[in-house]
Amino acid sequence: MSQANNSQAQVEAMIEDIKGRLKMATAAAMQASAFSVEQYDDIKDIHDIVMSKSNFSISEMEALVSELGKLRRS
């Protein structure tokens, strides 16, 4: 997907979807604005995984949150 068609608003909306679906206890610490449109494709991949499943094991949640943490801007 071309980054030219992606926006910061789309990235932030995907992060909010992920936080909602995972019911993250640390959701407040993971601000959507901390993610860059430059990571759109990686965030989209995580978003697609999260939205495709209804339940997650603890290890799956930890892995997803870990991946999101790696994508956050410092």
Side-chain angles (χ1 to χ4, degrees), residues 5 21 38 51:
N5 296 328
R21 180 61 68 102
E38 293 171 359
M51 301 315 277

Side-chain angles (χ1 to χ4, degrees), residues 7-70:
S7 71
Q8 185 66 31
Q10 288 173 312
V11 168
E12 292 179 15
M14 286 190 294
I15 295 298
E16 292 300 325
D17 285 348
I18 292 166
K19 287 173 20 179
R21 180 61 68 102
L22 295 179
K23 297 176 179 69
M24 293 172 51
T26 59
M30 190 165 292
Q31 297 297 320
S33 60
F35 296 87
S36 169
V37 71
E38 293 171 359
Q39 278 88 25
Y40 182 92
D41 290 334
D42 294 326
I43 294 169
K44 177 80 168 107
D45 290 342
I46 294 170
H47 181 265
D48 290 347
I49 291 167
V50 169
M51 301 315 277
S52 71
K53 294 185 71 170
S54 59
N55 296 312
F56 298 91
S57 69
I58 297 295
S59 60
E60 287 173 321
M61 288 180 93
E62 289 174 350
L64 290 165
V65 171
S66 175
E67 287 304 310
L68 284 171
K70 293 176 187 175

